[in-house]
Amino acid sequence: MNDDQYYMKLALDLAASAKGKTNPNPVVGAVIVKDGVIAGTGIHRKAGEPHAEVHAFKMAGEYAEGATLYVTLEPCSHYGKTPPCANLVKESGVRRVVVATQDPNPEVAGRGISILKDAGIEVEVGVLEKEAQRLNERFIHNMLTNRPFVISKYAMTLDGKLATHTGHSKWITGEESRHSVHLLRDEVDAILVGIGTVLADDPSLTTRLPEGGGKNPIRIILDSELRVPLDANVVQVSDARTLIVTQENAPADKMELLREKGIEFIFVAKNETGLDLKALMEELYKKGITDVLLEGGSEVNASFLRERLIDKYLIYIAPKLLGGRNSLTPYTGMNVDTMDEAMDVSFSGVETFGEDMRITAYPK
């Protein structure tokens, strides 16, 4: 690892510490180095607050003159809630800027880099680029598709079972795995399940961390016939918002009772396979929801898989064998005839949590 990679890795680690706190903005880290000494560091902590470069230059002060700035994402060139960082960098006196990856935002997309080059600053782009793009995969996806980044998370036994034939699934994985899931919930804007999960498990779908705190994501329930019980945990909105996705012709009396409890509704049409999930994703993005943690059962998982709406897979595997012809698997839906019809994914990483393992994968 050369010096540029070393300092960029530090900037990426700083940026990662703000995951889930900056939505809809990206996570960004910045490091200012002069004569081999770190003079300033910064992260973007929250949307609407100063960007990473601002914090780093404030810390570096006069030592920024002639220094090198390492930043994980191209400095912005447009006026949003804060002034453009490219102008700040241009006027800072730095000699060189190292950028991990270009900003996919059409309002930036190379303009920030051009401003720096036109000012006579040496600019290098692409140091640890893949790592930077993976770190901001949610933001990049948002910019390119205008829909939320969907993460499919589920736990299964070693023989690929989600639950017993009775639907019982508590607990497949151990405490360490479940803790990691609550950390995931703390990072995302929303968590989505189907009505089947609500009826079977009555989950709270909140973030519960041993150290306390944590952000409760918006709860999204797919319920085309409004079967959710009025005393279900997800109907209690004191801790977290709940959006129920249903049809406009759903029972009006039940809808009014739920509204009185603070439930919000999104109406989408049904197609031949169920609620129109693509239309739902568009509506969620309009509401400012940039990523969704899919924690549904096998039917909901299959619906998202069929519509090619899953952007990332987090698969927890427990060292258990369940067996059973009627035990539930992670995906139901239509059967295929040959392996040629399988949906290919790429494995990205494997981690362990206690006795469990977690595979990260992406659709090809």
Side-chain angles (χ1 to χ4, degrees):
M1 181 178 287
N2 59 35
D3 286 350
D4 283 350
Q5 292 171 332
Y6 174 81
Y7 291 120
M8 187 60 76
K9 176 64 167 59
L10 175 58
L12 287 168
D13 290 343
L14 288 169
S17 68
K19 282 191 72 176
K21 307 299 186 293
T22 65
N23 298 10
N25 290 356
V27 291
V28 182
V31 175
I32 297 173
V33 180
K34 186 174 184 179
D35 299 327
V37 176
I38 295 175
T41 62
I43 63 172
H44 178 44
R45 296 191 178 98
K46 185 179 180 182
E49 294 188 2
H51 290 184
E53 297 94 322
V54 176
H55 292 294
F57 281 119
K58 185 176 182 180
M59 182 184 294
E62 62 184 16
Y63 293 102
E65 183 78 29
T68 297
L69 166 67
Y70 295 88
V71 63
T72 58
L73 190 69
E74 172 185 3
C76 62
S77 59
H78 65 293
Y79 283 88
K81 293 182 178 179
T82 59
C85 289
N87 290 345
L88 173 66
V89 177
K90 182 179 72 172
E91 297 164 2
S92 68
V94 296
R95 177 185 61 83
R96 181 170 176 256
V97 176
V98 181
V99 178
T101 188
Q102 183 173 301
D103 193 326
N105 186 344
E107 294 184 342
V108 183
R111 294 183 182 90
I113 292 170
S114 295
I115 289 173
L116 302 183
K117 287 183 176 179
D118 291 344
I121 298 173
E122 179 186 345
V123 180
E124 182 173 349
V125 182
V127 175
L128 300 188
E129 182 172 32
K130 290 184 179 179
E131 293 86 343
Q133 290 175 344
R134 187 66 80 201
L135 179 62
N136 268 317
E137 60 190 4
R138 185 268 311 163
F139 175 72
I140 294 172
H141 175 83
N142 293 162
M143 291 297 100
L144 297 179
T145 68
N146 289 316
R147 69 169 177 82
F149 186 79
V150 177
I151 305 166
S152 175
K153 186 282 300 178
Y154 55 89
M156 67 181 189
T157 60
L158 188 59
D159 55 340
K161 305 298 185 181
L162 200 67
T164 69
H165 71 98
T166 65
H168 187 267
S169 61
K170 291 185 178 180
W171 294 103
I172 293 177
T173 54
E175 289 186 11
E176 293 92 340
S177 292
R178 298 199 294 275
H179 175 69
S180 74
V181 170
H182 285 286
L183 292 174
L184 282 170
R185 290 181 178 181
D186 182 43
E187 291 183 1
V188 298
D189 287 339
I191 180 171
L192 186 150
V193 301
I195 184 59
T197 296
V198 173
L199 294 176
D201 300 334
D202 192 22
S204 296
L205 303 180
T206 52
T207 299
R208 299 181 296 281
L209 299 174
E211 58 271 25
K215 174 186 69 179
N216 285 328
I218 297 170
R219 301 175 295 199
I220 302 170
I221 315 298
L222 303 183
D223 187 6
S224 61
E225 299 176 1
L226 286 192
R227 293 190 291 152
V228 60
L230 293 175
D231 60 350
N233 284 323
V234 294
V235 174
Q236 317 310 313
V237 298
S238 56
D239 294 325
R241 290 172 61 192
T242 297
L243 303 178
I244 291 183
V245 184
T246 190
Q247 306 174 82
E248 288 192 356
N249 62 355
D253 53 346
K254 181 72 170 287
M255 194 179 304
E256 184 58 31
L257 291 172
L258 289 167
R259 277 204 174 101
E260 290 175 359
K261 290 180 172 290
I263 300 298
E264 303 166 58
F265 291 91
I266 296 178
F267 300 104
V268 296
K270 286 188 75 172
N271 52 33
E272 62 275 8
T273 57
L275 291 168
D276 188 337
L277 297 180
K278 290 182 178 178
L280 170 61
M281 291 298 105
E282 293 176 2
E283 285 299 313
L284 293 179
Y285 194 65
K286 290 177 184 177
K287 289 181 176 291
I289 294 174
T290 64
D291 51 6
V292 174
L293 185 62
L294 182 63
E295 290 198 25
S298 55
E299 294 288 345
V300 169
N301 289 346
S303 297
F304 274 80
L305 183 70
R306 181 173 54 248
E307 296 294 334
R308 304 293 200 275
L309 288 173
I310 298 174
D311 303 300
K312 182 177 183 178
Y313 300 87
L314 293 176
I315 306 162
Y316 291 82
I317 303 175
K320 299 176 181 178
L321 294 167
L322 191 56
R325 183 175 291 108
N326 298 318
S327 297
L328 304 182
T329 59
Y331 299 93
T332 55
M334 296 182 297
N335 293 305
V336 299
D337 297 320
T338 67
M339 289 302 296
D340 294 337
E341 299 173 77
M343 297 183 186
D344 292 329
V345 300
S346 297
F347 289 157
S348 175
V350 178
E351 301 166 89
T352 56
F353 296 91
E355 294 185 338
D356 307 321
M357 63 185 295
R358 183 178 77 184
I359 295 176
T360 301
Y362 294 88
K364 282 190 177 179

